[in-house]
Amino acid sequence: MIECIPDLSFRLPNSKAFFRNIVIKSLFLISAASLLLIRFTPFAIANPRAIEQVRTAVETAIQPIVKSAASYVEQKTCFTCHHQALPVMAAVRAEAIGLKVDRKWLEAQRKFTADFFLQRKVELVKGHGVPGGAFTAGYAIAQFVATSQITAVGEPKRLEGTDELLDYLLKIYKPDRPWKINTIRPPLESSDFTATGLAIAALSTYALEDLMKHAGEIRTWYANTVASSAEDRAFQLMGWYWLTNAHSYHHALKTVTAWPTDRRKMGKKPDQFKEPKYPEVEVDTERLQAMVDQLKQRQREDGGWAQTDDMESDAYATGITMAALLMAQPELAHEKWCFRGVKYLLETQKTDGSWLVLTRSKPIQEYFESDFPHGEDQFISISASCWSVIALSQYLDVYRNPRK
């Protein structure tokens, strides 16, 4: 079982490992409970079967996801976010609620991804060699860190291929458009917010100083860029959340002396210390709350979210939106809108465990069967299923691990 971090804000750590754990566990959507008192809701008390229903939905969904990811590596040689990164992220998140990940499957996915990028290591340091740019590199690092999160003993380690991808992200950075999307294939591969958010998460985990050199420029880009889709808004929120937490920790490193391990040497109790706050913290918090409020307000009457204003609700938009909201503010799991979102996902799940979402991108490779349902819609459907698993697991984790 993965240990949950009580809080994602800076808590006067005495080592950088502490913050790495914070970023890693938020990046892969391993839900963190709020410092606020979490109350049990009438929904959980009156209907405990609903909680078990959510767990069953996750357990049923993981099976076709894992099977399809295994089939993909047997047929193909190219890394993808939809058949490597997202399935690993979903499986790791499901392990946090008690569903064990097959370690042989996890290692096969890790090796497949590492081999793909290590063949390109000479090009990576030059800012080349990644067809999907920061989007692809960011998802690959997300997979590596999720894998390390549950396989490493002690502090999660950098897996093979991580350093090369970090070099690549730093090489391709541009001040006016930090990390851009290269290929437009909506909804999954369509947003500069996705590319930038994933890059922020990767660098805040492993290259904090390098990220902070560009923090001002990234903030300016955020202020001047409008989010126009569910993909935009979800990664706008997650990226901003990761950036401001990184900024908070970096500021603390510069302003706080090492935290004494012996309380007798402290001179006062730990709770008497105040957390150092960087100058922009109030503005950053207000902006994050505005992003949260906007996402909540876009929920449809059926309980779901739509990819765009002129589309109907679907599991992709609903899963990624709920995942972003519950990552930023886990206590939202107790609000009515969240129950409605969970209900939408449960009601739209197919009997085989998957969620069907219709593709709206033109194919760029020859059709093949990856052992995931839904034929020509299988790639976006497995992505939607992964985000739905992540969101439902986050929701369930709040009830399995209440903080008092």
Side-chain angles (χ1 to χ4, degrees):
M1 180 68 70
I2 300 175
E3 178 185 0
C4 286
I5 295 293
D7 180 28
L8 290 178
S9 62
F10 175 73
R11 302 300 298 171
L12 298 172
N14 60 5
S15 76
K16 293 184 179 180
F18 183 94
F19 180 70
R20 289 194 185 109
N21 274 336
I22 287 176
V23 174
I24 289 165
K25 293 182 181 184
S26 67
L27 171 59
F28 303 104
L29 309 170
I30 296 175
S31 169
S34 170
L35 286 181
L36 299 174
L37 293 178
I38 294 180
R39 64 191 183 281
F40 283 101
T41 66
F43 177 86
I45 295 173
N47 192 10
R49 290 183 181 179
I51 301 302
E52 185 57 30
Q53 187 180 1
V54 173
R55 188 184 188 282
T56 299
V58 172
E59 186 174 17
T60 306
I62 281 294
Q63 296 173 17
I65 290 171
V66 168
K67 179 182 178 182
S68 183
S71 177
Y72 184 94
V73 302
E74 293 175 355
Q75 300 184 63
K76 297 293 182 178
T77 59
C78 179
F79 164 84
T80 65
C81 55
H82 49 74
H83 267 87
Q84 276 71 58
L86 280 171
V88 169
M89 291 160 61
V92 168
R93 190 62 191 83
E95 181 157 311
I97 61 169
L99 302 175
K100 187 72 172 178
V101 180
D102 185 317
R103 295 307 192 260
K104 290 183 179 180
W105 173 85
L106 200 63
E107 171 57 19
Q109 296 300 317
R110 182 209 64 77
K111 186 177 186 305
F112 179 89
T113 299
D115 288 349
F116 176 79
F117 288 105
L118 288 174
Q119 292 171 6
R120 296 160 171 75
K121 62 189 305 181
V122 174
E123 293 299 309
L124 290 175
V125 297
K126 300 176 182 179
H128 304 294
V130 184
F135 167 85
T136 301
Y139 261 121
I141 296 176
Q143 178 191 337
F144 288 155
V145 185
T147 300
S148 180
Q149 179 66 36
I150 62 172
T151 58
V153 177
E155 179 184 348
K157 62 181 180 180
R158 297 190 192 199
L159 297 184
E160 190 179 27
T162 302
D163 288 338
E164 290 81 1
L165 288 168
L166 290 170
D167 289 341
Y168 171 79
L169 288 174
L170 291 170
K171 188 69 176 179
I172 65 173
Y173 172 83
K174 302 293 183 183
D176 58 338
R177 192 180 175 189
W179 289 280
K180 66 184 181 71
I181 202 76
N182 286 355
T183 304
I184 305 300
R185 292 180 55 74
L188 190 62
E189 191 174 359
S190 62
S191 173
D192 281 0
F193 282 108
T194 305
T196 298
L198 290 168
I200 290 170
L203 294 171
S204 62
T205 303
Y206 290 128
L208 180 62
E209 289 295 336
D210 289 315
L211 176 63
M212 287 299 102
K213 291 176 184 177
H214 303 302
E217 295 164 345
I218 296 171
R219 286 170 175 278
T220 299
W221 177 81
Y222 257 92
N224 296 330
T225 306
V226 177
S228 59
S229 67
E231 180 80 14
D232 278 349
R233 296 183 189 95
F235 268 99
Q236 179 190 49
L237 172 59
M238 290 190 282
W240 187 251
Y241 179 77
W242 294 323
L243 179 65
T244 54
N245 272 276
H247 195 166
S248 177
Y249 176 69
H250 185 259
H251 177 74
L253 283 178
K254 304 297 184 183
T255 56
V256 179
T257 57
W259 184 260
T261 56
D262 186 344
R263 292 192 176 189
R264 292 171 297 182
K265 298 178 181 180
M266 288 182 180
K268 52 182 176 178
K269 297 179 180 179
D271 57 8
Q272 290 178 292
F273 287 88
K274 292 184 177 180
E275 296 178 10
K277 295 183 178 180
Y278 60 98
E280 301 92 343
V281 64
E282 291 186 5
V283 173
D284 286 353
T285 301
E286 290 176 1
R287 179 173 290 179
L288 184 138
Q289 188 58 51
M291 294 175 188
V292 167
D293 292 342
Q294 182 187 51
L295 277 175
K296 288 166 60 178
Q297 291 166 6
R298 301 188 77 86
Q299 188 176 30
R300 300 288 181 86
E301 287 296 321
D302 60 7
W305 280 259
Q307 296 176 33
T308 65
D309 290 343
D310 59 354
M311 294 179 68
E312 296 181 355
S313 301
D314 65 43
Y316 184 88
T318 301
I320 196 172
T321 298
M322 292 185 65
L325 286 167
L326 293 175
M327 186 204 72
Q329 296 180 354
E331 68 274 15
L332 295 178
H334 299 281
E335 295 187 0
K336 184 176 180 180
W337 69 264
C338 191
F339 305 153
R340 293 174 57 224
V342 168
K343 185 172 181 288
Y344 173 86
L345 290 177
L346 294 180
E347 290 178 346
T348 55
Q349 186 179 26
K350 303 298 182 180
T351 56
D352 59 16
S354 69
W355 281 267
L356 168 62
V357 174
L358 301 181
T359 186
R360 56 190 180 101
S361 293
K362 295 181 179 180
I364 59 173
Q365 58 179 303
E366 184 179 351
Y367 177 83
F368 74 99
E369 279 293 342
S370 68
D371 285 333
F372 197 82
H374 311 310
E376 294 182 353
D377 301 309
Q378 60 188 299
F379 289 179
I380 185 57
S381 293
I382 192 174
S383 303
S385 298
C386 289
W387 280 116
S388 296
V389 164
I390 290 167
L392 291 175
S393 297
Q394 290 174 275
Y395 170 80
L396 183 58
D397 193 52
V398 173
Y399 288 97
R400 287 173 57 91
N401 301 286
R403 296 298 190 269
K404 297 182 178 180

